[in-house]
Structures are given as C-alpha cells and as structure tokens.
Amino acid sequence: LIIQPPPARGIKTRELTNEDREKIISTLMMRCSNGKLSRGSIKLMAEKFQVHRITVSRIWHRFRKEHQSEGVGLQKAIHSKKNNRGRHSKYDTLELAEQLAQQPKELRQTIRGAAKSISVSTNTIIRAMKKGHIKMHATAIGPTRLSKMKKESKEQEVKK
C-alpha cells in the first residue's frame, strides 16, 4: 500500500481540509481488518499529513462512533466544526419570538418598542428577524391604501 502525502500546503494551516479528512478516513479504513487498525496506522497518517497523531485519532474515532451509531458514511464525520463556530448568542431567538408573541400588539408595533417590551437591544430583534424567527407585518398604510392614494394623486395631476 503506497500512501502519497498531500501536496505541500506552503504555510501550515491550522485545520485539515475536508479532502484531507476523507483521505485519512479512507486510508485508515483500508488498513482496518476485523474492526481493528493495524499497528502504527494512526502514527503513519499523522506523519504523512503533518498533523499530530491525536488529531488523526480524533477523526478516526469520530468516524467510527457516527458510522456505528447511525450507519453514515464519510460526510458525517468530516465536518467537525460545521455550524459550531463563532460566538455563542446570548439569547435564543426562538424564545425571544415566543416572549414577543405574548406581548400586547401595541408594544410590538415597532422594532424599538418590541425590543423594549422584552428588555433586549434592537439589534437582537433585527438578528432574530434575519434568521426568520420573527417576521415584520404590514404597517398601517397597507398596499391597498397606497394604491388608492396613488390613483388620487394621478387624478389630481390630470385635473391641473
């Protein structure tokens, strides 16, 4: 079995690419017999991909755990940090939406009023709107009134 190292990445990156993870898992699967890895497989992969052996071991164990429990293939084990990046939000947007629904309509007619009624910032409300958990409704001037107003203004212009 000939294992070729990945192409030189130049500057050593902090994380492996998904392709590298796929290669590690598929190579380790080939070196596996009766559910056990042959001795030194993890160390060999670590040397070839220029990462620590614990990194390779973690990838392999995550794959084995998810493969046995759910019967999934490579894709589930590859994305270790997907959707798990960045700062955790202070508020759960679904809970905010429920709290906002319990407030009287007069208090939640504007973004500022809605934010004040549940004691959060206006940016928190805007973020929840962007996620789709809170929806804006039409203002007092609806599309029907606007179209009537436009027609009236056009009629007045014609009369002049």
Side-chain angles (χ1 to χ4, degrees):
L1 179 68
I2 299 172
I3 302 168
Q4 295 193 356
R9 292 184 264 187
I11 299 172
K12 187 163 171 83
T13 59
R14 181 183 161 149
E15 298 167 3
L16 289 169
T17 63
N18 289 335
E19 292 80 25
D20 290 345
R21 290 176 192 260
E22 283 180 20
K23 288 176 187 174
I24 288 172
I25 291 171
S26 60
T27 307
L28 288 175
M29 285 174 57
M30 287 189 294
R31 296 181 63 87
C32 187
S33 62
N34 295 331
K36 295 239 179 190
L37 284 174
S38 61
R39 185 172 172 87
S41 298
I42 290 178
K43 183 179 176 185
L44 180 66
M45 289 293 100
E47 289 172 358
K48 294 291 182 186
F49 286 88
Q50 301 167 354
V51 293
H52 200 271
R53 63 178 175 76
I54 293 175
T55 305
V56 176
S57 178
R58 192 177 333 134
I59 292 168
W60 176 247
H61 286 294
R62 185 183 311 118
F63 169 74
R64 291 294 302 247
K65 179 182 172 189
E66 292 173 356
H67 184 67
Q68 288 174 354
S69 63
E70 300 176 12
V72 295
L74 293 175
Q75 291 300 320
K76 184 79 175 181
I78 289 170
H79 303 287
S80 63
K81 293 189 177 184
K82 188 175 183 184
N83 300 327
N84 194 20
R85 293 182 177 178
R87 182 177 178 179
H88 297 289
S89 60
K90 189 173 181 182
Y91 304 102
D92 182 23
T93 53
L94 292 174
E95 289 178 13
L96 289 178
E98 290 172 6
Q99 289 177 8
L100 203 56
Q102 294 171 358
Q103 299 298 321
K105 187 177 180 181
E106 297 81 33
L107 295 177
R108 53 187 165 95
Q109 285 183 342
T110 61
I111 293 175
R112 187 179 293 169
K116 190 174 181 182
S117 70
I118 59 174
S119 302
V120 296
S121 70
T122 54
N123 285 337
T124 304
I125 299 293
I126 291 169
R127 258 184 255 114
M129 288 169 49
K130 284 182 180 178
K131 285 186 177 180
H133 297 268
I134 297 174
K135 293 183 181 175
M136 286 292 286
H137 293 283
T139 60
I141 300 176
T144 54
R145 284 186 63 192
L146 282 175
S147 62
K148 288 179 185 177
M149 290 168 59
K150 285 180 183 178
K151 287 179 185 177
E152 290 174 3
S153 66
K154 285 181 182 178
E155 290 173 2
Q156 288 177 359
E157 287 177 10
V158 172
K159 288 180 183 178
K160 290 182 182 178

